[in-house]
Amino acid sequence: DGGITQSPKYLFRKEGQNVTLSCEQNLNHDAMYWYRQDPGQGLRLIYYSQIVNDFQKGDIAEGYSVSREKKESFPLTVTSAQKNPTAFYLCASSSRQGDSGYTFGSGTRLTVV
Amino acid sequence: QKEVEQNSGPLSVPEGAIASLNCTYSDRGSQSFFWYRQYSGKSPELIMSIYSNGDKEDGRFTAQLNKASQYVSLLIRDSQPSDSATYLCAVGHTNAGKSTFGDGTTLTVKP
């Protein structure tokens, strides 16, 4: 079955540590997105990519980095510069223009310890 | 003003009633409109999409779009406790290549 897979489901980060969240899709979608969701809040866009080897900053890109070397994969690195990274991270994919809606992964819960 | 605004709720309806969720948007060039359902602790799931003025029905769900008023709504008929979730409105513009999400409305359906 086609879908979008995020791993790990839970992740714990120590102060000053970089961590990478994985996102893989087999839907043949061109576009991929990373969102952050804090408790009781909406989705905030971190980065998005409409094509391989190209990506754009979203509304809250500071402290995060991404790469898009393959169509299927869009990993997100939470760097030590992100001072408050505890949140629910959601990856999504869509057609290039996003006009058919998004398919979301099951999310990664990141906690700073 | 936010680009996409939803009633923050929470909205509570009795089982079997009609739940009405509303959303307004600011970009008149928006071309695609979506409703997602998000259960507590889970990821959002696309439940309805609408692209032209009028109503679109899918089972107990009806999406309504009025581009002149920049308004989109979701009606849930015969509401069930399993409909209790947060509903996210999203608006897309082809040139932007991405959707903008509202903050969501939390719906509780009481047995």
Side-chain angles (χ1 to χ4, degrees):
Chain A
D1 286 339
I4 181 166
T5 302
Q6 289 187 242
S7 63
K9 194 173 181 70
Y10 300 95
L11 186 58
F12 299 90
R13 193 194 92 165
K14 295 180 180 179
E15 294 284 347
Q17 189 178 45
N18 292 354
V19 292
T20 297
L21 283 60
S22 171
C23 180
E24 302 274 339
Q25 56 98 1
N26 61 2
L27 298 166
N28 199 33
H29 282 164
D30 287 308
M32 298 185 74
Y33 312 83
W34 275 106
Y35 287 89
R36 168 179 173 146
Q37 188 174 40
D38 293 285
Q41 304 297 312
L43 304 179
R44 291 190 288 170
L45 182 63
I46 305 173
Y47 270 98
Y48 66 105
S49 167
Q50 292 178 281
I51 196 169
V52 175
N53 293 322
D54 188 42
F55 49 83
Q56 287 76 42
K57 292 182 179 179
D59 301 318
I60 56 164
E62 186 174 350
Y64 300 97
S65 66
V66 294
S67 63
R68 187 83 188 278
E69 297 177 359
K70 298 188 301 181
K71 185 176 182 177
E72 302 80 13
S73 178
F74 192 40
L76 173 74
T77 297
V78 184
T79 75
S80 57
Q82 172 50 242
K83 297 306 179 187
N84 185 23
T86 295
F88 187 40
Y89 289 86
L90 289 159
C91 180
S93 68
S94 74
S95 61
R96 182 174 299 185
Q97 300 304 329
D99 51 4
S100 298
Y102 293 177
T103 300
F104 282 88
S106 57
T108 293
R109 293 197 178 276
L110 174 62
T111 304
V112 174
V113 295
Chain B
Q1 181 188 6
K2 290 185 177 180
E3 291 183 52
V4 178
E5 296 210 45
Q6 297 182 245
N7 292 341
S8 59
L11 175 65
S12 180
V13 300
E15 184 174 356
I18 296 175
S20 178
L21 304 162
N22 305 316
C23 174
T24 58
Y25 60 95
S26 60
D27 184 356
R28 285 195 169 274
S30 299
Q31 296 163 302
S32 51
F33 307 87
F34 308 98
W35 284 99
Y36 294 81
R37 177 176 62 201
Q38 186 176 24
Y39 291 116
S40 182
K42 303 296 184 182
S43 60
E45 172 193 14
L46 179 66
I47 57 172
M48 289 289 284
S49 56
I50 187 166
Y51 305 95
S52 55
N53 283 329
D55 295 359
K56 178 180 178 182
E57 186 174 317
D58 183 0
R60 296 185 295 111
F61 298 93
T62 299
Q64 300 175 317
L65 175 62
N66 183 326
K67 290 186 178 181
S69 300
Q70 296 174 245
Y71 176 92
V72 58
S73 66
L74 179 70
L75 301 178
I76 306 175
R77 291 183 301 281
D78 188 24
S79 295
Q80 301 297 309
S82 59
D83 295 324
S84 297
T86 296
Y87 289 81
L88 301 169
C89 172
V91 175
H93 192 303
T94 299
N95 290 344
K98 60 183 175 68
S99 294
T100 300
F101 285 80
D103 288 340
T105 299
T106 299
L107 170 68
T108 301
V109 181
K110 295 188 174 181

